[in-house]
Amino acid sequence: MSNRLSILFHQGKQYIPDPTKAKVPGIFRGRPVISTEKVDEDELVALCPCRAIAKGPVSIDLGKCAFCGECARKYPGKIRFTDDYKMATNRRELLIVKEGEDKPITLDKDAIRPEIKGIFKHSLKLRQVSAAGDNSCEWELGATSNVNFDMGRYGIEFVASPRHADGVVVTGPISAHMAEALDICLESVPEPRISVLAGTDAISGGVFALEENTALDRHYVDKVHTDLYLPGNPCHPLTVINGLLDLTRNK
């Protein structure tokens, strides 16, 4: 009994009644905010191990960010990470957080294909492909279906076969060994279909793409239209759920 009370004290009620309004623990690093405080921008840029920070003015690319928090620790007056997990978007440029701006990341409603809102509003089946992932995003995607988050209540589920799916969710930086398998998987999904990139590695290649890397083959990202970007390293289940809901149920 004492162990159960201890878990309840530290984690609260694990079941989330409404994932669109849930609160996350203070240790979670969500959407960053960049102040206009003056700092050594060259030093700040050099501090980022993922080259996600740019200068003049300072910005952070959440498609590259590992959310390690090193920039906020070094420059707490310049950068802070909020608990805002609603970071999904359908336009790559909207993942760039700019200095002096404190606004939520949203989807461009006009860029959502009409067939997505018309066909997948009440039911969406997805095939997840780990393209050389490290199991972190894969783990979190699996968590979306557990009793805590229960994504299935919205009719959104992961399926075992691409022929039973409405779209593909890619995790990992996409290695050369997985590139063909990913292509085959996508082609096996009947039209209309959606493509989702989940996590920093899938969106940009992460640390694996910092230098020329022949072990990667990211032609999939170049040739396939991405309907949804889910930033995070790994992406949080609440980011995933809210992103998919915004994509399929935006009016």
Side-chain angles (χ1 to χ4, degrees):
M1 178 61 74
S2 61
N3 288 337
R4 292 183 179 181
L5 290 174
S6 176
I7 292 173
L8 183 62
F9 175 76
H10 286 288
Q11 299 185 12
K13 293 181 179 179
Q14 291 186 307
Y15 173 69
I16 301 174
D18 185 353
T20 66
K21 299 178 181 178
K23 300 294 183 181
V24 292
I27 59 174
F28 172 74
R29 296 191 190 103
R31 175 179 58 85
V33 174
I34 309 171
S35 76
T36 55
E37 178 183 277
K38 299 300 180 182
V39 299
D40 185 331
E41 293 187 4
D42 290 325
E43 186 176 283
L44 175 59
V45 170
L47 183 67
C48 180
C50 299
R51 300 177 188 170
I53 301 178
K55 64 177 183 178
V58 175
S59 65
I60 300 177
D61 184 346
L62 299 189
K64 297 180 178 180
C65 180
F67 292 81
C68 65
E70 189 63 26
C71 55
R73 282 190 288 269
K74 180 71 174 180
Y75 297 99
K78 182 65 175 178
I79 298 173
R80 66 180 176 88
F81 284 85
T82 71
D83 61 359
D84 182 5
Y85 51 78
K86 294 182 179 181
M87 299 181 286
T89 186
N90 55 344
R91 286 174 49 197
R92 181 66 177 85
E93 61 270 23
L94 294 181
L95 289 178
I96 299 177
V97 175
K98 300 177 182 178
E99 180 180 80
E101 296 182 357
D102 185 0
K103 59 182 182 181
I105 297 172
T106 59
L107 273 71
D108 181 349
K109 296 181 180 180
D110 295 332
I112 300 175
R113 291 182 286 135
E115 58 267 31
I116 292 178
K117 294 181 286 185
I119 297 175
F120 305 134
K121 183 175 183 179
H122 298 295
S123 176
L124 179 65
K125 310 303 178 185
L126 298 167
R127 177 67 169 97
Q128 187 267 321
V129 177
S130 178
D134 60 6
N135 278 339
S136 58
C137 278
E138 292 83 353
W139 189 291
E140 297 302 291
L141 289 175
T144 61
S145 300
N146 68 24
V147 294
N148 296 357
F149 300 100
D150 190 20
M151 185 171 66
R153 76 180 92 173
Y154 300 109
I156 305 174
E157 300 175 322
F158 289 101
V159 295
S161 171
R163 297 190 184 280
H164 299 159
D166 302 308
V168 174
V169 179
V170 182
T171 57
I174 311 180
S175 68
H177 290 298
M178 281 300 298
E180 183 179 1
L182 183 56
D183 288 339
I184 293 173
C185 179
L186 181 73
E187 291 169 2
S188 300
V189 178
E191 292 279 8
R193 59 195 177 205
I194 69 172
S195 179
V196 178
L197 299 180
T200 297
D201 289 348
I203 295 172
S204 67
V207 296
F208 305 100
L210 293 180
E211 307 294 343
E212 184 176 349
N213 189 346
T214 57
L216 299 184
D217 182 350
R218 292 183 54 79
H219 74 267
Y220 175 94
V221 177
D222 297 327
K223 75 172 187 177
V224 178
H225 172 74
T226 299
D227 293 291
L228 188 66
Y229 298 93
L230 299 171
N233 193 44
C235 47
H236 195 281
L238 290 173
T239 304
V240 177
I241 295 172
N242 280 275
L244 290 172
L245 287 176
D246 286 345
L247 177 67
T248 58
R249 303 180 188 196
N250 239 320
K251 296 181 180 180

